Amino acid sequence: MPNSNAIFASLSASDASALRPHLKSVHLESRRILFDVGDVIDSVYFPTSAVVSLVVGLSTGEMVEGAMVGKDSIVGVAAAMDSKLAFTQAIVQLPGDAFVCDASAFKGVAMQSERLLSLLFRHEQAVYAQAQQSTACMAAHDVRSRLCRWLLRARDLSGGDHLAFTQEFLAEMLGVRRTSVTFDAHALQQAGLIKYSRGKIQILNVDGLHEGACECYETVRSQYAKLLGRNRKAHDARSMSGVAHG
């Protein structure tokens, strides 16, 4: 259901009704590239269980993650709204479901709603703030605390404790050597926080990861809570009103 996406769930009844006919359910496979740098965005995605990384490529071929988004976000909305090219690559990090909307149809609905436009601006602020936080995190925090933060964020967005990640992919997203990830993942496993095998990580101790994570995890959570706060209350109020009059 579209309402499994927090942004869609926070829309007004009229905005949701206007968008719903344009939504198509899709399953996004791991490593699928939704768009690349320089692409014209023709689709907007509302993830419901898929997790997507917004990454920046370097001339050396390395990739660094700027933001991790999922059921708390929309993918591709900024470029779709102003017809500009994508300046990051969007790659599916964890497979799952999403709803996709034609970018032109999405823009048409958004331009008719001041409330929806306001939400979209705040959403883009939150994604931009997350990217800024990631930059500061890479500069100031050690690999282990960043790894804890990254695993917690992936768990929040996927809704499960089993994450299908290779250490190579983790190293790419964190912008470090694989040996660094191997060392710190082993330390977390020895501490009983995670269990990992080839291509799979199971989170065993969420509280332990919270203790080991850098401050950036809670900062990003707070940013998204502020993003959805007002709209979530309005959505809940409408739902209760509907029950009262049903």
Side-chain angles (χ1 to χ4, degrees):
M1 293 295 292
N3 278 6
S4 296
N5 178 278
I7 300 295
F8 191 90
S10 69
L11 297 180
S12 68
S14 58
D15 288 339
S17 295
L19 273 177
R20 194 171 280 109
H22 302 291
L23 298 180
K24 178 183 176 182
S25 177
V26 294
H27 181 77
L28 303 178
E29 298 291 345
S30 179
R31 291 293 186 133
R32 174 177 170 181
I33 297 175
L34 303 183
F35 51 79
D36 211 338
V37 177
D39 286 351
V40 175
I41 304 297
D42 57 10
S43 299
V44 175
Y45 295 85
F46 290 82
T48 54
S49 58
V51 179
V52 178
S53 288
L54 304 180
V55 303
V56 176
L58 304 177
S59 60
T60 57
E62 296 173 297
M63 296 189 301
V64 179
E65 182 183 75
M68 183 194 304
V69 297
K71 61 184 179 181
D72 61 352
S73 301
I74 317 175
V75 180
V77 63
M81 285 297 295
D82 60 16
S83 300
K84 290 185 178 179
L85 305 179
F87 58 89
T88 60
Q89 181 187 84
I91 181 171
V92 179
Q93 179 191 112
L94 285 173
D97 298 323
F99 284 86
V100 61
C101 179
D102 176 78
S104 297
F106 181 84
K107 182 176 181 180
V109 172
M111 295 303 291
Q112 300 300 314
S113 172
E114 183 176 343
R115 185 181 303 177
L116 177 53
L117 284 174
S118 177
L119 172 62
L120 296 178
F121 282 130
R122 284 185 283 125
H123 169 267
E124 290 307 300
Q125 284 182 314
V127 174
Y128 180 64
Q130 183 184 167
Q132 287 184 310
Q133 194 71 36
S134 294
T135 300
C137 188
M138 290 184 65
H141 300 139
D142 60 51
V143 176
R144 190 173 305 177
S145 62
R146 288 166 54 203
L147 177 58
C148 290
R149 167 187 66 87
W150 200 88
L151 292 173
L152 286 171
R153 174 77 174 155
R155 177 183 182 271
D156 287 347
L157 296 179
S158 67
D161 292 321
H162 293 80
L163 308 174
F165 292 131
T166 64
Q167 291 189 21
E168 290 88 348
F169 187 68
L170 281 170
E172 282 185 347
M173 295 299 100
L174 292 172
V176 299
R177 296 181 182 276
R178 182 190 169 182
T179 52
S180 298
V181 170
T182 300
F183 177 81
D184 287 304
H186 179 72
L188 295 180
Q189 180 166 258
Q190 290 295 103
L193 305 186
I194 66 171
K195 178 181 179 181
Y196 72 89
S197 56
R198 176 172 288 274
K200 297 179 181 178
I201 296 177
Q202 180 183 0
I203 295 177
L204 302 176
N205 186 335
V206 176
D207 290 338
L209 286 181
H210 273 280
E211 292 178 5
C214 58
E215 66 191 78
C216 300
Y217 171 69
E218 288 297 340
T219 299
V220 170
R221 287 190 69 187
S222 174
Q223 289 162 352
Y224 274 86
K226 291 176 182 178
L227 163 71
L228 289 176
R230 182 180 302 175
N231 281 10
R232 171 63 67 185
K233 290 176 182 177
H235 176 265
D236 291 344
R238 287 192 303 273
S239 298
M240 291 303 293
S241 176
V243 171
H245 292 86

